[in-house]
């Protein structure tokens, strides 16, 4: 295990993640642990739409911000007690599926306290774009992009 002298650093964040389909929030289709051996990293970012308001001279006189949201990319190694169980964790939900994260480090992002853990800040939405990478040269990798909109409180997707 690494150690340091002088300044402390933060290394990774273990967590547990559950994935649900867009139509069922009670039956998880996958539960996995993002432990130090299976978690390659979490990338958390704050995003919003911005617009500059200009006067007749073309100078910016105002700045409008809307659509506040968080984006999270989870990179993990499919793992399990057997190769077959590990393959089950190489799973991507359908569009508008949800993810529940617990046990992650507590951070504030974009004004959202404890942004990673869903018990306090709401569920993550899987909007597509994930990938499962298999290679002959090393470990498989799952990349799961998630979004969180503070103004969306519905538990599941609504059929149109």
């Amino acid at each position: 295990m690494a150690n340091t002298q002088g300044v402390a650093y933060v290394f990774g964040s273990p967590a547990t993640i559950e994935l649900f389909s867009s139509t069922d929030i009670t039956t998880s289709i996958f539960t996995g642990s993002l432990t130090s051996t299976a978690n390659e990293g979490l990338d958390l970012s704050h995003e919003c739409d911005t617009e500059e308001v200009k006067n007749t001279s073309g100078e910016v006189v105002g700045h409008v911000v809307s659509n506040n949201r968080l984006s999270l990319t989870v990179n993990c190694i499919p793992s399990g007690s057997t190769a077959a169980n590990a393959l089950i964790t190489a799973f991507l939900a359908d569009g508008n599926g949800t993810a529940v994260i617990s046990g992650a480090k507590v951070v504030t992002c974009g004004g959202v306290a404890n942004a990673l853990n869903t018990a306090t800040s709401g569920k993550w939405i899987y909007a597509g774009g994930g990938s499962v990478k298999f290679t002959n040269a090393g470990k498989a990798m799952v990349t799961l992009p998630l979004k969180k909109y503070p103004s969306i409180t519905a538990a599941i997707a609504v059929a149109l």
Side-chain angles (χ1 to χ4, degrees), residues 38-137:
N39 182 5
E40 284 288 301
L42 306 171
D43 297 323
L44 176 65
S45 62
H46 171 253
E47 301 170 352
C48 56
D49 298 336
T50 63
E51 185 177 343
E52 295 177 338
V53 179
K54 296 181 181 182
N55 65 13
T56 57
S57 299
E59 296 298 319
V60 175
V61 295
H63 190 256
V64 178
V65 175
S66 63
N67 198 20
N68 194 43
R69 62 195 177 275
L70 301 179
S71 290
L72 177 68
T73 302
V74 177
N75 298 301
C76 59
I77 304 165
S79 59
S81 58
T82 66
N85 287 344
L87 190 57
I88 292 170
T89 67
F91 184 87
L92 300 174
D94 58 341
N96 270 341
T98 58
V100 174
I101 297 175
S102 61
K105 292 184 176 169
V106 176
V107 295
T108 298
C109 183
V112 178
N114 200 354
L116 292 171
N117 296 296
T118 55
T120 56
S121 62
K123 291 189 178 183
W124 290 93
I125 298 170
Y126 174 70
S131 65
V132 180
K133 178 182 177 184
F134 295 99
T135 175
N136 291 335

Side-chain angles (χ1 to χ4, degrees), residues 18 20-21 23-29 98 123 156:
E18 285 185 274
F20 299 87
S21 74
T23 58
D24 184 354
I25 60 165
T26 58
T27 307
S28 70
I29 44 183
T98 58
K123 291 189 178 183
I156 60 174

